[in-house]
Amino acid sequence: MQDKEKKQKRVMLMVPLLDQGGLERICAFTAKSLNDKCELCLVVFSTKNMFYDIDNVELLDLGLGSRPTKLGKVLNAFKRVHAVKMIKRQRQIDITYSFGPTANLVNVLSRVRDRIWVGIRGYGALESDRNMKLLCKKADTVICCTQIMRDDVRDIYHPREAECLYNPCETKKNRRLSKEAVEEQHLAFFDGKSPVIASMSRADDVKGFWHLIKAVALIKQELPEVKLMIIGDGDFSEYEKLAEKLEIKNDILFTGLQKNPFAYLKKASLYAMCSYTEGFPNSLIEAMSVGLPVIAANCKTGPAEILSEDYTKVEDQKMVHECEYGILVPLMNPVKNLDAAVVEEEERIFAKEAVKLLKNSEYLKSLGEKVKKRSEFFSADKYIEWLVWKMEQV
């Protein structure tokens, strides 16, 4: 009888789009994972450029994608709120869980009798003071993807309830995929003799790839055989030019977007992240899930909680921290500098710590085993268990 009642819980997930992006991926995963655990529907503002497969999930398209003018955006907001409110009434929704700023606003403004959960997936959301005050005043639960985000939301905005729910990592699937082969055109890059430093993300300035490339040039002064691999979509041409000026272009592989990046990560020796801002860096956990040791810039959210069991002990962003599960180095300068002649102190520190890691093969091996176990703390199973438990409380 109890199981039957659980299945009858009516849940709506809401996201603006299902195009290629972090919060969209999390929403699609959540929908597929909860679909057989409740009566679930997924509401999107538009199916334009839909990327993620949602299998047998019931998808409701409002047909209210973004509008270019300010007036259009205002009218769109009213239409979205009205449409969502109608769906909530018709379906007698118990819980509505939204992903992203625009979906969160529609969610809190369309309350009927449902419990409102809003997902904060990036620290940038806290920069909009007015929106956060509204969300925290009206939402039943604010779900943040890091502890520091949750703690700041509690301290600054005093919501009814704020929780931390880490993004899910499909650890078992990642390890299975890591055993597959890389594309034939890239095989020559992995000669089995050269240590490979890997990084994975789209070509976005916040990822600080110019810092990483300059740091690798410094590392090669100590370890000439080291190579760099960057996995991700986008235009990396300016970074290729920087590598050419630094005379390391032949030792850098830009793989582009890979359907199976785990096969590539498995061939690396060390994972590096130079981002100066993150929400929750999924790529860091994904690298750890296949046993790749990590060195990361200590940006505001994410790395400290992933690599240390107590983020409050490693909050100083100007220091090097040898954590239980990896190395945190000082925060990188957010100002983009593609001048090959300019080397910043943080890049020198990053290179120095990376060299120490790569020279200590025994420590690197033991760290690889530790990070693999650590990744289970952020597993997809734990993510779903928490959501099911939370639904049961409603």
Side-chain angles (χ1 to χ4, degrees):
M1 184 69 181
Q2 189 177 4
D3 288 340
K4 187 177 180 181
E5 289 174 359
K6 288 180 186 176
K7 290 181 181 178
Q8 291 179 342
K9 196 77 72 176
R10 301 179 185 93
V11 177
M12 175 195 290
L13 302 182
M14 182 163 43
V15 69
L17 298 166
L18 281 172
D19 59 347
Q20 192 172 355
L23 68 88
E24 292 83 2
R25 181 184 70 83
I26 301 302
C27 182
F29 174 82
T30 305
K32 289 189 288 185
S33 301
L34 293 182
N35 198 34
D36 63 347
K37 296 174 174 60
C38 58
E39 292 183 18
L40 185 137
C41 64
L42 172 57
V43 172
V44 296
F45 298 163
S46 170
T47 53
K48 183 180 179 181
N49 299 324
M50 188 166 164
F51 176 81
Y52 291 104
D53 177 19
I54 52 169
D55 296 332
N56 298 316
V57 175
E58 183 182 9
L59 181 67
L60 303 177
D61 179 10
L62 300 185
L64 295 169
S66 61
R67 300 281 292 274
T69 66
K70 189 173 182 179
L71 178 60
K73 292 179 189 299
V74 172
L75 290 173
N76 236 12
F78 279 109
K79 289 179 181 179
R80 289 168 178 172
V81 169
H82 176 73
V84 170
K85 191 175 285 190
M86 291 290 290
I87 296 171
K88 289 182 178 183
R89 282 180 179 149
Q90 290 169 358
R91 294 175 176 252
Q92 299 180 323
I93 297 296
D94 298 308
I95 302 164
T96 306
Y97 181 15
S98 50
F99 296 75
T102 54
N104 286 340
L105 285 173
V106 171
N107 193 4
V108 299
L109 294 174
S110 62
R111 181 192 291 272
V112 180
R113 294 179 179 176
D114 52 325
R115 300 281 290 184
I116 304 294
W117 298 355
V118 298
I120 308 297
R121 316 312 301 179
Y123 200 85
L126 275 66
E127 295 172 2
S128 179
D129 191 60
R130 188 172 70 173
N131 283 358
M132 284 302 301
K133 284 179 179 177
L134 177 63
L135 293 183
C136 292
K137 181 181 178 181
K138 291 185 171 293
D140 295 294
T141 304
V142 179
I143 299 176
C144 305
C145 61
T146 64
Q147 290 182 44
I148 189 170
M149 219 180 288
R150 175 203 61 196
D151 295 346
D152 283 355
V153 167
R154 284 176 178 172
D155 293 342
I156 299 169
Y157 299 105
H158 311 292
R160 297 175 195 176
E161 181 180 55
E163 300 281 3
C164 172
L165 176 62
Y166 290 118
N167 290 349
C169 179
E170 297 182 80
T171 52
K172 294 174 185 175
K173 180 181 177 182
N174 296 351
R175 288 167 195 158
R176 186 178 72 251
L177 290 171
S178 73
K179 296 176 183 177
E180 295 183 0
V182 300
E183 291 184 10
E184 189 174 349
Q185 61 178 324
H186 296 144
L187 281 174
F189 182 80
F190 306 101
D191 56 16
K193 301 173 184 177
S194 304
V196 175
I197 297 173
S199 195
M200 182 167 66
S201 181
R202 65 190 183 281
D204 191 314
D205 286 355
V206 301
K207 305 301 179 180
F209 282 125
W210 70 92
H211 289 302
L212 179 57
I213 291 169
K214 289 182 180 182
V216 168
L218 294 172
I219 292 167
K220 287 181 70 63
Q221 293 175 14
E222 290 276 331
L223 299 169
E225 68 277 16
V226 163
K227 295 180 178 182
L228 172 65
M229 169 178 63
I230 296 178
I231 306 167
D233 196 18
D235 182 4
F236 287 91
S237 58
E238 61 183 359
Y239 298 122
E240 290 176 342
K241 290 177 183 176
L242 175 61
E244 189 171 6
K245 290 176 184 176
L246 291 166
E247 299 181 351
I248 61 171
K249 184 179 179 181
N250 292 337
D251 291 322
I252 300 183
L253 172 64
F254 296 92
T255 72
L257 183 66
Q258 290 296 320
K259 186 176 181 180
N260 178 11
F262 308 104
Y264 286 80
L265 290 173
K266 188 66 176 177
K267 288 186 171 292
S269 308
L270 181 66
Y271 188 84
M273 195 191 85
C274 288
S275 303
Y276 57 82
T277 184
E278 286 282 350
F280 183 84
N282 299 315
S283 61
L284 211 59
I285 302 294
E286 290 171 341
M288 292 166 67
S289 73
V290 298
L292 199 52
V294 170
I295 180 170
N298 193 6
C299 58
K300 177 69 175 179
T301 63
E305 290 180 43
I306 293 169
L307 302 184
S308 173
E309 292 183 356
D310 183 356
Y311 80 88
T312 62
K313 292 182 179 179
V314 294
E315 285 184 301
D316 190 334
Q317 295 174 298
K318 295 180 180 180
M319 289 181 61
V320 173
H321 300 279
E322 187 174 326
C323 306
E324 299 95 324
Y325 307 103
I327 306 299
L328 288 172
V329 293
L331 182 65
M332 299 289 179
N333 186 352
V335 179
K336 192 173 186 177
N337 190 327
L338 296 171
D339 186 345
V342 177
V343 180
E344 298 180 20
E345 182 61 22
E346 289 77 16
E347 294 160 358
R348 294 186 188 280
I349 295 171
F350 190 102
K352 180 181 177 182
E353 295 302 319
V355 167
K356 283 164 61 177
L357 277 171
L358 291 168
K359 282 186 173 181
N360 192 340
S361 58
E362 288 187 13
Y363 176 61
L364 205 62
K365 184 178 179 180
S366 66
L367 194 56
E369 292 301 316
K370 286 181 181 179
V371 299
K372 202 171 182 180
K373 291 178 182 177
R374 175 63 169 172
S375 69
E376 295 296 338
F377 186 74
F378 308 94
S379 71
D381 289 344
K382 286 186 179 292
Y383 175 87
I384 296 303
E385 282 171 14
W386 188 92
L387 283 174
V388 171
W389 169 80
K390 193 67 179 173
M391 286 193 303
E392 289 172 353
Q393 313 307 307
V394 176

